[in-house]
Amino acid sequence: MIDMRETNLVAAESELNTAKRLDPKSSLVYVGLARLSQLHNNPKGADESFKAAVGLAPLRSPTRIIYAGFQANTGATNQARQSMLDLVRQAPDYLPPLHFLMSLSFAEGKFDECTIYISQILAREPGNYEALAMKGEVSLARKDGKQAVADFEYLTARYARPQASYQLAEAYLLDGNTAKALSSLTRCLQMDTNFIPAKLALSDLNMRLGNPAAAIAMLTPLLKLTNQAVTVPASLILAKSYLIQKSPDQAIALYRGLEASFPKDPKVAYDEGQAWRIAYKP
């Protein structure tokens, strides 16, 4: 197995070149060379290797999808889209290019176009999880709460997955049904006790509903993590929970920690000031 860790790039390149000499028609070798070029920050070299890989790959090879993803990530979105459309025409029963086009159009905010690809996938495979989930995501993006609820209720009735339950909770919140959102978030965490987005959402809901103790109990362990994408929102919800619980000193300590990480964020400084006012209100 070729080792692509940063400290072994020289060895990986040597092994790939050896593999290329032994089997010059292996598309996987060229995919490996493309990945190596990416690690070397050489997009031109990666593109050339990907093109060679696609030229050697079978029609239904994932190599074509990988190359389209590379193109989309490097600004060649139109070329990526066209190659996938061509692949759909050549292999209409092959779903990966439709999945790619569906995801690409959603990322671009082209929801009508995305819906067309969703319909095409579901016409071929009615129970396709990714297409059913994307249908709900389109409804969420369009701020259509009722349709989003219908989409994700349909999905969760067929698939017991924590992500689906979390998205159903988002739909319930958009539709104004807090009780069902709480239930769906709880169900999500029953399936995956470490589903962080659900912990953040459930804690925020509990805090807003006047149950700061539940929020504090759930979020305090998350502060031990090193990922700021988790610790920052957790700290903000915790600080507000402490204020509701009339523990401003603990809220101030959290805001000070945030201020040290984000000294130029006026919102953090403002919220800390509010905590000080509460702490020393005559």
Side-chain angles (χ1 to χ4, degrees):
M1 184 175 181
I2 295 172
D3 194 339
M4 286 268 194
R5 288 177 298 181
E6 188 173 351
T7 55
N8 291 288
L9 292 184
V10 174
E13 186 170 8
S14 176
E15 291 181 46
L16 283 167
N17 284 325
T18 298
K20 181 181 175 182
R21 285 194 299 271
L22 293 172
D23 188 0
K25 292 187 177 181
S26 170
S27 66
L28 292 178
V29 170
Y30 284 97
V31 170
L33 288 168
R35 295 297 197 199
L36 192 63
S37 293
Q38 287 180 283
L39 291 172
H40 282 304
N41 196 26
N42 179 9
K44 183 178 179 182
D47 187 70
E48 290 172 355
S49 292
F50 272 129
K51 283 179 180 176
V54 168
L56 295 167
L59 187 64
R60 289 173 172 79
S61 168
T63 298
R64 299 175 186 275
I65 314 300
I66 294 169
Y67 180 38
F70 168 79
Q71 289 178 306
N73 289 332
T74 54
T77 306
N78 290 336
Q79 294 93 316
R81 180 183 288 105
Q82 189 57 53
S83 69
M84 292 297 96
L85 288 170
D86 291 342
L87 186 52
V88 170
R89 281 192 288 270
Q90 292 173 287
D93 60 328
Y94 185 47
L95 292 183
L98 283 172
H99 279 127
F100 181 92
L101 290 164
M102 174 183 73
S103 298
L104 179 63
S105 57
F106 181 82
E108 294 177 326
K110 298 177 180 178
F111 302 134
D112 290 340
E113 185 177 302
C114 182
T115 300
I116 291 171
Y117 295 127
I118 291 170
S119 297
Q120 290 180 11
I121 294 169
L122 294 177
R124 292 162 173 79
E125 188 179 295
N128 187 275
Y129 178 87
E130 289 77 11
L132 290 173
M134 184 63 78
K135 188 172 185 291
E137 289 180 38
V138 168
S139 296
L140 285 175
R142 285 174 164 163
K143 305 298 181 186
D144 187 342
K146 292 191 184 303
Q147 185 59 53
V149 166
D151 292 336
F152 284 116
E153 283 184 340
Y154 184 88
L155 182 65
T156 55
R158 284 150 184 78
Y159 294 95
R161 298 189 186 182
Q163 178 67 27
S165 290
Y166 172 73
Q167 290 175 303
L168 177 57
E170 289 185 304
Y172 282 137
L173 287 174
L174 183 61
D175 198 40
N177 195 328
T178 304
K180 285 192 174 182
L182 284 167
S183 176
S184 194
L185 288 169
T186 301
R187 188 162 57 252
C188 171
L189 289 170
Q190 287 170 345
M191 288 186 277
D192 182 355
T193 56
N194 292 314
F195 199 93
I196 300 299
K199 287 188 174 185
L200 293 172
L202 184 57
S203 299
D204 187 62
L205 259 184
N206 277 322
M207 180 267 294
R208 294 176 187 279
L209 292 172
N211 188 5
I216 291 167
M218 181 166 286
L219 292 181
T220 300
L222 297 186
L223 297 187
K224 298 177 183 178
L225 302 177
T226 57
N227 184 355
Q228 283 193 337
V230 176
T231 57
V232 170
S235 295
L236 289 169
I237 298 168
L238 268 173
K240 291 178 182 177
S241 298
Y242 280 128
L243 289 176
I244 293 171
Q245 202 181 51
K246 301 191 184 307
S247 303
D249 289 342
Q250 289 167 291
I252 289 167
L254 286 166
Y255 284 129
R256 280 182 169 175
L258 288 168
E259 196 170 19
S261 299
F262 305 97
K264 296 183 179 180
D265 189 332
K267 182 69 167 61
V268 172
Y270 175 81
D271 287 344
E272 183 184 348
Q274 293 293 97
W276 278 102
R277 290 189 189 93
I278 292 171
Y280 294 98
K281 185 177 180 180

